[in-house]
Amino acid sequence: MSRIAYNTVTLNADEGRSFNKQLFGLVGAVALSLGFTIGYIASSPASQSAWTAAVPLTSSRATTTVAPSVAVSRPRFPAVAAQQLDAADIAVPPAMLSMFSATSEPAVMNPAVSIMGLGAILFGGFMVVRGWFSKPTPQALLQTVDLHSAPAKSPKWAMASAVPNPSAGDGKTIRIATRKSPLAMWQAEFIESELKRMYPGITVELQPMSTRGDKILDSPLAKIGGKGLFVKELENALLEGRSDIAVHSTKDVPMELPDGLDLSIICKRHDPCDALCFPKGSTKATIDDLPEGATVGTSSLRRQSQLLLKRPDLKFVELRGNVNTRLAKLDSGDYDAIILAAAGLERMGFTDRVMPGKANIIDPDLMLPACGQGALSIELRSDDPETLALLQPLHHILDATTVCCERSMNRRLQGGCQVPISGFARLNGNELNMQARVGSISGAGPLIIKEKTIEIDMSKPWAEIKPIAEQLGTEVADMLLDAGAQAYLDEAYASNDAGVAAQMAANTGAE
């Protein structure tokens, strides 16, 4: 499955309404034009003459003095012309004069043609009015997909499958622990909207929290403890019973969870790739467009180790803060480019940062994504089966299969943001492929790349699919270790200022 499988488009309500108006307006205009055309042709002299010739003016039947409802009130053109002819100028046979005399019956229009014209006019008017007052398709209907549908065919923000019992949430309250960052709030609010869509009677409360990772912005994550700093406070709220669930970007969730908590729900995955973002107004699109020695903002050792192999001249600079802050730093000239997750840009509405044709989305063959990137996940207490049952429709089995495979590989390598590990699983029918890479934080050696493909029966229950996927991840990790990946891992863990920060200190003499 290629990256393109995740590039789907959803028609929003405004676009739907505009489209309906255009469609119905076009059909209505055509119908009105047809109706008036038929009416004009039917009332023209030529058509009247043809109709009169086809129906004799005299008949053996008795006639009535009541004019038919479709009679034309004015005299026929031939009769008027005959009256204006001068007998001295032209000789008209008596038979012809009697044929076109003013006393002949009024012209009669073809009833079938009249009905057709009137019908076309009425239909055209109806379509125009319908187009103008038509309502857009409800967004909820655009977002509803089947749990087992293929990602490439699903709407972009679709999450939940069909809910067997919408009343199951009546009277219940779900408290969601979330970070305060704009992206984290978007994710929590989206899960809130999905829960309310599935269960109209449910109450959802958001509990924004500031984590230690949000507060420490002057040190690299690899130095201060990794991405686990972003979830610690949320997990404490779960364990203490102050919150019911926590919503995460799966790539930020540590491989080992505290006792009593499970990452039970893996939602539908969005674009898992990275985006190379340039300052506003730039015409650059790819890594090849970067000038020699360009400054690239990223805090990811994974991204650094892979890009250094293609562009060893690049200078990497520490980049922290939320998406808005990072883009503002880019536009202010602090960097030639920065690297961000494509899914985060799309969720926050920064579609202008994605080039036409997604030219600045980095192909996974060049830079493999982080494990779980692009997928939202929900963490909850292991002893809360009632909440788990309510959340179950949000669990996307196809993407959960690939994400669990990736996380299993990373867990086996004891990975975190301190080490440059990348992993990406692809599911094609009943074939599950897992590729993983480990790089050197100094770029001194080549990437170690391993992959394996297995057959997996996706018709089985999730309880049977999950261990098979996790086993594949573990096997690929062992292949990496057998190829010498442990030396790279030891190098990373032995460095106090791993990766980007160490490089900057060496280049500038400061942290």
Side-chain angles (χ1 to χ4, degrees):
M1 184 186 301
S2 67
R3 172 182 62 78
I4 303 301
Y6 293 90
N7 300 339
T8 54
V9 177
T10 300
L11 184 67
N12 61 37
D14 291 335
E15 292 170 338
R17 183 167 187 167
S18 176
F19 177 79
N20 287 342
K21 284 186 177 182
Q22 294 175 6
L23 176 62
F24 293 136
L26 178 61
V27 174
V30 171
L32 285 172
S33 300
L34 179 63
F36 284 117
T37 301
I38 293 176
Y40 176 80
I41 295 175
S43 62
S44 67
S47 63
Q48 293 174 10
S49 299
W51 174 245
T52 304
V55 181
L57 295 179
T58 59
S59 173
S60 59
R61 296 181 183 179
T63 59
T64 176
T65 58
V66 180
S69 59
V70 294
V72 180
S73 59
R74 68 179 185 276
R76 289 172 301 184
F77 174 79
V80 175
Q83 292 177 4
Q84 295 176 344
L85 292 176
D86 190 338
D89 297 329
I90 184 171
V92 181
M96 183 175 293
L97 285 175
S98 62
M99 177 178 179
F100 294 109
S101 66
T103 58
S104 59
E105 294 180 10
V108 181
M109 191 182 300
N110 189 336
V113 175
S114 301
I115 293 174
M116 289 174 59
L118 180 61
I121 293 174
L122 293 176
F123 177 76
F126 170 76
M127 294 301 290
V128 170
V129 173
R130 180 183 177 185
W132 181 255
F133 290 101
S134 63
K135 296 182 179 180
T137 303
Q139 190 70 13
L141 296 180
L142 291 174
Q143 293 180 337
T144 304
V145 295
D146 187 80
L147 181 63
H148 301 286
S149 61
K153 299 179 180 179
S154 303
K156 179 162 56 176
W157 301 126
M159 298 288 284
S161 64
V163 180
N165 183 17
S167 63
D170 291 356
K172 293 183 172 59
T173 299
I174 298 293
R175 299 165 297 174
I176 301 180
T178 176
R179 294 166 55 201
K180 290 183 177 180
S181 73
L183 180 57
M185 289 298 297
W186 185 99
Q187 293 168 171
E189 289 169 356
F190 182 67
I191 296 299
E192 174 189 17
S193 68
E194 285 290 277
L195 287 171
K196 290 181 176 179
R197 181 173 67 82
M198 294 188 299
Y199 308 107
I202 201 170
T203 299
V204 181
E205 297 177 1
L206 298 185
Q207 299 176 326
M209 304 177 186
S210 293
T211 66
R212 186 163 178 247
D214 295 316
K215 298 174 182 177
I216 304 177
L217 299 176
D218 57 354
S219 298
L221 287 175
K223 181 180 178 180
I224 62 177
K227 292 185 176 180
L229 295 175
F230 291 109
V231 302
K232 182 76 172 173
E233 284 78 5
L234 278 60
E235 290 177 336
N236 287 340
L238 291 176
L239 292 171
E240 295 168 7
R242 293 183 282 116
S243 303
D244 300 303
I245 65 174
V247 178
H248 303 296
S249 291
T250 309
K251 69 181 181 65
D252 296 335
V253 181
M255 298 304 108
E256 299 295 339
L257 303 178
D259 292 338
L261 297 180
D262 288 328
L263 199 68
S264 304
I265 302 297
I266 305 295
C267 301
K268 184 186 182 301
R269 196 174 200 171
H270 303 143
D271 195 328
C273 298
D274 293 298
L276 185 63
C277 299
F278 296 90
K280 279 191 173 181
S282 174
T283 58
K284 298 180 176 65
T286 70
I287 188 174
D288 294 327
D289 296 331
L290 287 170
E292 185 78 13
T295 299
V296 179
T298 178
S299 300
S300 169
L301 303 181
R302 168 187 63 84
R303 292 165 176 162
Q304 175 194 356
S305 65
Q306 295 185 79
L307 289 184
L308 279 176
L309 293 179
K310 180 176 178 62
R311 290 289 304 272
D313 60 290
L314 296 179
K315 297 178 181 179
F316 293 93
V317 181
E318 184 71 21
L319 179 64
R320 295 287 307 280
N322 58 47
V323 176
N324 309 61
T325 301
R326 298 183 188 191
L327 290 173
K329 291 180 179 180
L330 171 66
D331 292 337
S332 67
D334 293 356
Y335 312 93
D336 293 305
I338 64 175
I339 304 175
L340 299 173
L345 287 173
E346 294 177 351
R347 290 168 184 163
M348 292 298 295
F350 292 112
T351 54
D352 59 320
R353 299 292 182 158
V354 179
M355 303 293 289
K358 295 207 169 186
N360 64 324
I361 303 298
I362 305 175
D363 192 281
D365 290 333
L366 172 62
M367 191 166 73
L368 211 62
C371 298
Q373 184 164 315
L376 298 182
S377 56
I378 301 177
E379 188 176 12
L380 66 156
R381 289 184 295 275
S382 308
D383 60 356
D384 190 358
E386 184 177 349
T387 299
L388 177 60
L390 291 175
L391 298 172
Q392 201 61 46
L394 291 172
H395 187 64
H396 195 279
I397 291 180
L398 300 181
D399 290 333
T401 300
T402 58
V403 169
C404 286
C405 183
E406 296 164 10
R407 285 179 57 82
S408 177
M409 180 278 302
N410 209 11
R411 186 183 303 112
R412 175 70 177 87
L413 297 180
Q414 299 180 355
C417 69
Q418 299 95 328
V419 290
I421 299 175
S422 55
F424 188 40
R426 299 170 171 91
L427 185 62
N428 184 15
N430 286 327
E431 285 189 352
L432 179 61
N433 171 269
M434 176 67 201
Q435 183 184 135
R437 303 175 183 178
V438 178
S440 168
I441 62 171
S442 63
L447 279 174
I448 301 177
I449 305 174
K450 294 296 178 183
E451 68 176 311
K452 183 177 180 179
T453 302
I454 64 170
E455 292 286 333
I456 183 169
D457 186 356
M458 294 303 297
S459 66
K460 291 184 177 181
W462 170 242
E464 298 182 28
I465 293 175
K466 182 180 179 181
I468 298 175
E470 292 181 331
Q471 178 62 30
L472 174 60
T474 301
E475 292 176 2
V476 173
D478 288 336
M479 293 166 63
L480 290 168
L481 293 174
D482 292 341
Q486 189 62 54
Y488 286 170
L489 301 178
D490 293 341
E491 174 193 23
Y493 283 118
S495 175
N496 291 327
D497 292 309
V500 174
Q503 186 185 58
M504 287 304 298
N507 293 340
T508 65
E511 182 177 336

